[in-house]
Amino acid sequence: MLRNWYARWMYGWETRLTMRDENRVVRPLEWGFEWIVPFLEANGLGGAIPDPEMVRDNGAAEAAMVRINELLVRHSDVFFGYKRPTDFRLEERFPELFPTNVRPETLAKDAALKQQAIDGTLKPAQFLRFTSPERTPYPENDLVNARWYPAPAHKDPARPRQAIVVLPQWNADGFGHNSLCTLFNRMGVSALRLSMPYHDIRRPGELERADYAVSANTGRTMSACRQAVVDIRCCIDWLEEQGYEHFGVLGTSLGSCYAFLASAHDPRIRVNAFNHASTAFGDVVWAGQSTRHIRQAVSEAGMTQERLRALWAAISPISYYEQFAGPAANGPGKDILTVYSNYDLTFPKEYSLKVVEAFRQSRLKYEIRVLPCGHYTAGETPFQYLDGWYLGWFVYRAYKALREEKASGVRRSAAREHETEKQALTH
């Protein structure tokens, strides 16, 4: 009885939170070949490009897009590959909110921050900027932005430098997950809080929300995902240039999808925290409450869940479990935390459980934590503190284990050198 009451209460609260924003726009289904064809041509995959006459027929266009996805899954190392940027730089400016809704309290917070910047009571922050390897028609989106939270120098000069790339949820404002970054700094871990494609300062002026990151335009959504993944890997490149040795990712919701794909294709990423995770991109868009406007668009075009899943296979974590768990990606080992919610209406629990099952069947070291709330309510009191505890405690232990791993490796190396010297003297 009590459990049923709690479930009804939680689902009601979750629904109210997902219904607050009234600026979601229903855009028609578009195939978006123009977003993916240039990549195929530039990387010798042009055989999958459909004839221009074909794309005028919806059936032929859908079949062509499915073939493109199948090709990209087979060549995912190319799809998520990139040329390292050469224009890394740190920029100092006042942090801004970049709200994605028009609720009075959000607009008031935005105005207050701008006034603090004028008054001089708001401290400027550092941001890593560089040009994304994935180009789009929007110059502001192609200039990557990541707020830099460097940890203070440790008193032990031999301690390895460690860093994590943090990706908040879809439509996060410019302050989302910043508190996690300051928490990691207290652990001695530096953090780059990445603005995902089409988010905050990267958002085109024509948008109120980060609509182009996930939309009924299939090709553009794939482009946004590729851009996010290579941007994460570029952040690791910059951190490596700064002398960091251990790397991780923490992603929430859409950010967890991007983080998984980056880690599956980059052996440098050892620490993995997936805060709300799911299997297939199309399943979440179809079944999730916060993407109901996209489902409306694709449903009106006659799409089904199974067909939508195939159209986004190339950007679905389920397509890359083998790479994530395999020797090439796994390297010396990955530490994994997956957090899901019992009453999630955005990443339905059934899909999160499939992620858990996939990890159970792998040889990876993983942990599971379950929140007694939903997707949106995870950001509300008291659940945000429980979620933060799960994430923070995992990150702390994972990076500590990496330090111990390095120390034991150094000790073994020193012991081998000593033994070699002894043998040389003996002979």
Side-chain angles (χ1 to χ4, degrees), residues 205-235:
E206 65 203 60
L207 299 178
E208 286 186 348
R209 299 168 58 85
D211 284 357
Y212 292 171
V214 184
S215 71
N217 185 310
T218 58
R220 184 174 60 204
T221 301
M222 292 166 64
S223 167
C225 184
R226 169 179 143 73
Q227 188 171 56
V229 171
V230 299
D231 290 350
I232 294 169
R233 300 185 66 186
C234 291
C235 286

Side-chain angles (χ1 to χ4, degrees), residues 252-267:
T252 293
S253 191
L254 177 63
S256 77
C257 173
Y258 294 160
F260 181 96
L261 296 173
S263 187
H265 294 86
D266 199 317

Side-chain angles (χ1 to χ4, degrees), residues 87-106:
D87 61 343
F88 290 120
R89 61 203 182 273
L90 284 175
E91 171 184 295
E92 189 170 278
R93 67 172 190 273
F94 291 113
E96 297 179 67
L97 187 62
F98 298 104
T100 59
N101 62 70
V102 292
R103 298 195 301 270
E105 65 273 20
T106 306

Side-chain angles (χ1 to χ4, degrees), residues 26 57 76 91 106 112 189 228 241 257 280 291 351 372 382:
V26 179
D57 175 77
S76 64
E91 171 184 295
T106 306
V189 178
E241 289 178 5
C257 173
T291 49
Y351 303 121

Side-chain angles (χ1 to χ4, degrees), residues 220-345:
R220 184 174 60 204
T221 301
M222 292 166 64
S223 167
C225 184
R226 169 179 143 73
Q227 188 171 56
V229 171
V230 299
D231 290 350
I232 294 169
R233 300 185 66 186
C234 291
C235 286
I236 302 293
D237 290 337
W238 181 79
L239 289 166
E240 206 169 37
E241 289 178 5
Q242 309 312 302
Y244 286 86
E245 301 178 50
H246 297 151
F247 309 102
V249 288
L250 183 153
T252 293
S253 191
L254 177 63
S256 77
C257 173
Y258 294 160
F260 181 96
L261 296 173
S263 187
H265 294 86
D266 199 317
R268 296 173 297 178
I269 299 175
R270 300 282 305 277
V271 178
N272 301 264
F274 305 130
N275 190 30
H276 303 299
S278 192
T279 51
F281 203 99
D283 285 341
V284 170
V285 171
W286 184 270
Q289 197 173 70
S290 62
T291 49
R292 60 188 179 276
H293 57 301
I294 302 176
R295 176 174 176 173
Q296 178 181 336
V298 298
S299 295
E300 288 174 353
M303 193 60 60
T304 65
Q305 181 174 358
E306 291 72 23
R307 289 160 60 194
L308 189 62
R309 187 187 303 131
L311 287 171
W312 280 327
I315 57 173
S316 294
I318 195 173
S319 299
Y320 304 108
Y321 285 150
E322 199 170 303
Q323 286 94 324
F324 189 83
N330 197 29
K334 291 182 184 290
D335 283 325
I336 305 158
L337 171 69
T338 294
V339 180
Y340 70 88
S341 300
N342 268 329
Y343 305 98
D344 199 331
L345 297 177

Side-chain angles (χ1 to χ4, degrees), residues 7-223:
R8 289 195 301 271
W9 174 67
M10 186 54 66
Y11 285 136
W13 187 8
E14 187 76 6
T15 299
R16 288 193 298 275
L17 290 177
T18 64
M19 300 292 287
R20 285 183 304 178
D21 297 340
E22 298 178 353
N23 58 345
R24 290 184 172 91
V25 178
V26 179
R27 292 183 170 86
L29 173 66
E30 297 177 291
W31 300 115
F33 286 105
E34 68 276 15
W35 290 86
I36 203 71
V37 164
F39 172 84
L40 298 174
E41 292 176 333
N43 289 275
L45 302 174
I49 299 173
D51 184 276
E53 292 298 321
M54 289 175 58
V55 300
R56 295 191 178 94
D57 175 77
N58 281 336
E62 181 180 346
M65 187 60 80
V66 170
R67 288 195 301 274
I68 288 173
N69 273 265
E70 292 170 347
L71 180 71
L72 293 177
V73 169
R74 292 197 301 272
H75 298 278
S76 64
D77 56 331
V78 177
F79 185 46
F80 295 118
Y82 63 100
K83 184 177 180 181
R84 181 183 293 215
T86 58
D87 61 343
F88 290 120
R89 61 203 182 273
L90 284 175
E91 171 184 295
E92 189 170 278
R93 67 172 190 273
F94 291 113
E96 297 179 67
L97 187 62
F98 298 104
T100 59
N101 62 70
V102 292
R103 298 195 301 270
E105 65 273 20
T106 306
L107 298 180
K109 182 179 179 181
D110 183 44
L113 284 168
K114 290 176 178 175
Q115 188 60 48
Q116 289 171 22
I118 295 171
D119 297 341
T121 56
L122 183 66
K123 292 183 179 179
Q126 285 189 314
F127 297 83
L128 175 65
R129 309 304 301 273
F130 59 91
T131 304
S132 175
E134 171 76 354
R135 300 292 198 274
T136 72
Y138 303 98
E140 61 269 61
N141 177 57
D142 294 348
L143 185 55
V144 180
N145 181 78
R147 186 166 175 178
W148 177 224
Y149 289 85
H154 198 269
K155 59 183 179 182
D156 179 7
R159 177 184 168 117
R161 301 180 73 189
Q162 301 175 309
I164 190 167
V165 179
V166 176
L167 299 96
Q169 73 277 10
W170 184 33
N171 280 303
D173 60 35
F175 279 68
H177 283 35
N178 287 1
S179 58
L180 280 175
C181 297
T182 57
L183 173 64
F184 298 148
N185 282 175
R186 296 191 190 104
M187 302 174 187
V189 178
S190 297
L192 276 173
R193 187 274 191 194
L194 180 63
S195 301
M196 298 187 298
Y198 302 106
H199 283 69
D200 56 73
I201 198 172
R202 302 177 66 175
R203 189 173 68 210
E206 65 203 60
L207 299 178
E208 286 186 348
R209 299 168 58 85
D211 284 357
Y212 292 171
V214 184
S215 71
N217 185 310
T218 58
R220 184 174 60 204
T221 301
M222 292 166 64
S223 167

Side-chain angles (χ1 to χ4, degrees), residues 334-410:
K334 291 182 184 290
D335 283 325
I336 305 158
L337 171 69
T338 294
V339 180
Y340 70 88
S341 300
N342 268 329
Y343 305 98
D344 199 331
L345 297 177
T346 295
F347 274 36
K349 182 179 175 181
E350 62 180 293
Y351 303 121
S352 296
L353 291 177
K354 290 180 180 179
V355 174
V356 174
E357 183 58 29
F359 286 148
R360 283 199 180 114
Q361 294 178 7
S362 72
R363 60 182 179 277
L364 297 172
K365 184 169 62 175
Y366 69 92
E367 300 177 22
I368 304 296
R369 295 291 182 271
V370 184
L371 294 171
C373 59
H375 203 89
Y376 280 65
T377 44
E380 302 291 320
T381 303
F383 308 112
Q384 60 179 326
Y385 299 111
L386 179 60
D387 195 20
W389 166 257
Y390 287 155
L391 297 169
W393 180 233
F394 166 78
V395 168
Y396 171 78
R397 289 182 291 111
Y399 278 103
K400 181 181 179 183
L402 288 179
R403 294 194 299 272
E404 292 172 348
E405 176 189 282
K406 181 181 179 182
S408 64
V410 170

